[in-house]
């Protein structure tokens, strides 16, 4: 039987057409399902620039790498869909064996529940009235819908339990994970004592059940990557001690509780802590890496644990723009800016130049600054650019490139457009 997410995706795509709202795409009312039949090429002058594209071959490589990694290490994967906000790409991740999908809030959960996803981890506490009402309604409509949320305070327990008392007396208990955190980080209890207090509050509640813990090690501060890894390992070791203490006090409702960590940089440390070095009752380890799917030319090109695999991950995201001006010696201004590409974790990286239908690697190009619509490219090392040249940029941190594009061409190695990926930011 076809999974619900595949049925829903087919229905979404069947009614979806390319319009003027879909930047970069050629004019014309073309059905999404008919994109391949148009025989478009991204770089032959058909598409308006700038344009973001995804390479099919890179997505396939990265999906396989993460699937094999999780199988080899006996861990589950609930990729964070905030990266792409695309039911199409989430369906590919689920097809490749993902256990579920992670989202940041109920607004994002609505997208994927509507798209047929039936297991979601909301990686934040849910305390809003509209959000709790929505989840109660959806759980009543579909008893098979499995939604986990976080909790890190007695106050959040009280808000959730009170709301569910009014909304969901007929529903089974809502599964929650205690969020653990570190000093200076975002949400999460900071001490073992705080974790026990929250667990006790959940036990006293009428409508919640504690099924495990959750945390995020990816933003642990450090002066270097090695320093970050050391601090992340310390944080994970303490988190493991919290799990042991919850076991000892019999505060976990499941025989095999969930332990969920793992950004896209240090998930190997999660595996080491909760698989390789773990001593105690079995836990289900759920990684939440999202950016593994597309990898990048920046932060994850330096930190992804998949770099140790052979073959390794491939960057799937590229953003093309035209050289608009060469106003000074050794300076080119390209029509790609903050509205088009991520800049929060590093400036875009020139990876290709195209002129007269010939593409080459750059030898001396570097982005030194960006405006809303422009990239300032320093030209050196014997390289040169002309007005009208096309420049391809790789990105650092794909999340904040995806959110700038409603519809993204899916391309072959020859830049033939074989599909289009809709996002729902």
């Amino acid at each position: 039987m076809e999974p619900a997410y595949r049925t829903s995706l087919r229905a979404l795509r069947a009614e979806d057409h390319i319009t003027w709202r879909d930047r970069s795409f050629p004019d014309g009312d073309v059905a999404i399902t008919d994109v391949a039949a148009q025989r478009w090429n991204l770089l032959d002058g058909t598409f308006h620039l700038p344009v973001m594209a995804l390479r099919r071959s890179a997505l396939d490589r990265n999906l396989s790498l993460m699937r094999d990694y999780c199988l080899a290490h006996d861990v589950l994967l609930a990729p964070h869909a905030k990266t792409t906000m695309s039911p199409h790409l989430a369906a590919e991740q689920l097809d490749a064996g993902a256990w579920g999908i992670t989202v940041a809030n109920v607004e994002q959960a609505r997208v994927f529940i509507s798209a047929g996803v039936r297991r979601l981890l909301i990686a934040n506490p849910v305390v809003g009235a509209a959000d709790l009402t929505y989840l109660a309604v959806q759980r009543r409509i579909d008893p098979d819908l499995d939604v986990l949320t976080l909790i890190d305070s007695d106050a959040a327990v009280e808000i959730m339990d009170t709301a569910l008392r009014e909304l969901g007396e007929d529903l089974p208990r809502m599964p929650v994970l205690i969020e653990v955190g570190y000093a200076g980080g975002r949400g999460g209890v900071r001490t073992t004592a705080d974790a026990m207090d929250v667990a006790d509050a959940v036990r006293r509640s009428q409508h919640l059940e504690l099924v495990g813990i959750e945390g995020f090690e990816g933003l642990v501060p450090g002066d270097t990557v090695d320093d970050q890894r050391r601090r992340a390992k310390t944080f994970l070791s303490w988190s493991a001690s919290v799990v042991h203490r919850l076991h000892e006090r019999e505060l976990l409702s499941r025989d095999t509780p969930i332990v969920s960590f793992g950004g896209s940089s240090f998930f190997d440390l999660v595996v080491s802590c909760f698989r390789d070095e773990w001593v105690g009752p079995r836990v289900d380890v759920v990684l939440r890496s999202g950016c593994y799917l597309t990898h990048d030319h920046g932060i994850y090109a330096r930190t992804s644990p998949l770099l140790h695999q052979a073959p390794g991950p491939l960057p799937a995201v590229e953003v093309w723009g035209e050289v608009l001006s060469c106003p000074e010696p050794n300076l080119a201004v390209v029509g790609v800016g903050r509205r088009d590409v991520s800049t929060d974790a590093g400036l875009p990286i020139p990876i290709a130049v195209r002129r007269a239908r010939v593409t080459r690697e750059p030898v001396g190009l570097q982005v030194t600054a960006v405006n809303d619509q422009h990239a300032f490219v320093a030209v050196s090392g014997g390289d040169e650019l002309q007005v009208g040249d096309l420049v391809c940029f790789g990105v650092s941190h794909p999340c904040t490139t995806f959110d700038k594009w409603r519809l993204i061409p899916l391309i072959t190695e020859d830049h033939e457009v074989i599909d289009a990926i809709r996002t729902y930011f």
Side-chain angles (χ1 to χ4, degrees), residues 203-222:
R203 182 165 58 181
R204 293 191 300 268
S205 71
Q206 298 178 12
H207 299 282
L208 305 177
E209 65 166 337
L210 182 60
V211 300
I213 73 165
E214 182 273 357
F216 179 55
E217 78 296 337
L219 292 177
V220 170

Side-chain angles (χ1 to χ4, degrees), residues 232-253:
K233 187 172 183 179
T234 299
F235 169 59
L236 291 166
S237 295
W238 168 70
S239 301
S241 74
V242 172
V243 179
H244 284 300
R245 185 68 179 132
L246 291 168
H247 266 300
E248 291 168 3
R249 294 196 54 204
E250 299 182 346
L251 291 169
L252 295 163
S253 67

Side-chain angles (χ1 to χ4, degrees), residues 15 39 56 97 116 123 153 163 187 214 226 254 262 287 299 335 353 357 378 394:
E15 61 186 23
R39 304 182 66 84
R56 177 75 268 173
S153 67
E214 182 273 357
D226 287 342
R254 295 184 182 179
L287 304 181
I299 184 172
V353 176
R357 298 183 180 271

Side-chain angles (χ1 to χ4, degrees), residues 325-355:
S325 177
C326 297
E328 302 171 11
N330 303 318
L331 173 65
V333 179
V334 182
V336 171
R338 293 190 191 95
R339 300 291 181 89
D340 315 303
V341 66
S342 53
T343 59
D344 58 303
L347 296 176
I349 303 102
I351 58 173
V353 176
R354 186 173 175 88
R355 179 187 299 167

Side-chain angles (χ1 to χ4, degrees), residues 79-378:
H80 210 316
K82 72 177 178 65
T83 299
T84 69
M85 285 305 296
S86 170
H88 188 145
L89 294 176
E92 294 196 4
Q93 292 172 301
L94 291 165
D95 286 346
W99 171 84
I101 292 295
T102 297
V103 293
N105 52 42
V106 173
E107 288 183 358
Q108 294 178 5
R110 291 173 66 195
V111 171
F112 293 98
I113 291 173
S114 298
V117 176
R118 289 297 172 260
R119 181 183 284 130
L120 297 103
L121 193 164
I122 302 176
N124 271 303
V126 176
V127 296
D131 292 344
L132 290 166
T133 300
Y134 172 81
L135 292 180
V137 168
Q138 294 303 312
R139 293 175 72 212
R140 185 171 290 110
I141 291 171
D142 183 0
D144 293 328
L145 179 63
D146 187 10
V147 180
L148 296 87
T149 69
L150 307 188
I151 211 86
D152 73 350
S153 67
D154 292 2
V157 172
E158 177 63 24
I159 289 171
M160 289 188 69
D161 199 43
T162 300
L164 293 173
R165 188 181 309 128
E166 298 171 358
L167 297 167
E169 284 286 358
D170 58 319
L171 295 172
R173 287 178 177 258
M174 184 83 174
V176 296
L177 306 167
I178 290 180
E179 183 177 16
V180 294
Y182 51 86
R186 51 196 196 192
V189 296
R190 300 310 203 238
T191 68
T192 303
D194 288 343
M196 297 308 111
D197 288 346
V198 173
D200 284 333
V202 173
R203 182 165 58 181
R204 293 191 300 268
S205 71
Q206 298 178 12
H207 299 282
L208 305 177
E209 65 166 337
L210 182 60
V211 300
I213 73 165
E214 182 273 357
F216 179 55
E217 78 296 337
L219 292 177
V220 170
D223 296 331
T224 65
V225 172
D226 287 342
D227 189 27
Q228 281 185 289
R229 288 181 64 85
R230 179 182 60 79
R231 296 184 185 209
K233 187 172 183 179
T234 299
F235 169 59
L236 291 166
S237 295
W238 168 70
S239 301
S241 74
V242 172
V243 179
H244 284 300
R245 185 68 179 132
L246 291 168
H247 266 300
E248 291 168 3
R249 294 196 54 204
E250 299 182 346
L251 291 169
L252 295 163
S253 67
R254 295 184 182 179
D255 292 337
T256 306
I258 292 171
V259 171
S260 180
F261 290 85
S264 297
S265 290
F266 306 132
F267 57 80
D268 58 321
L269 298 180
V270 180
V271 170
S272 294
C273 183
F274 292 100
R275 276 291 177 262
D276 302 340
E277 301 166 8
W278 180 253
V279 177
R282 178 178 171 81
V283 295
D284 281 335
V285 180
V286 179
L287 304 181
R288 302 193 311 280
S289 314
C291 291
Y292 81 88
L293 178 63
T294 60
H295 196 52
D296 70 8
H297 286 88
I299 184 172
Y300 299 115
R302 298 188 297 271
T303 63
S304 171
L306 295 178
L307 293 169
H308 303 295
Q309 306 295 306
L314 294 172
V317 175
E318 52 189 64
V319 180
W320 288 84
E322 297 149 326
V323 177
L324 304 178
S325 177
C326 297
E328 302 171 11
N330 303 318
L331 173 65
V333 179
V334 182
V336 171
R338 293 190 191 95
R339 300 291 181 89
D340 315 303
V341 66
S342 53
T343 59
D344 58 303
L347 296 176
I349 303 102
I351 58 173
V353 176
R354 186 173 175 88
R355 179 187 299 167
R357 298 183 180 271
V358 176
T359 303
R360 64 172 177 85
E361 292 186 12
V363 295
L365 304 182
Q366 181 180 5
V367 176
T368 58
V370 293
N371 295 153
D372 282 357
Q373 311 288 172
H374 302 99
F376 295 79
V377 180

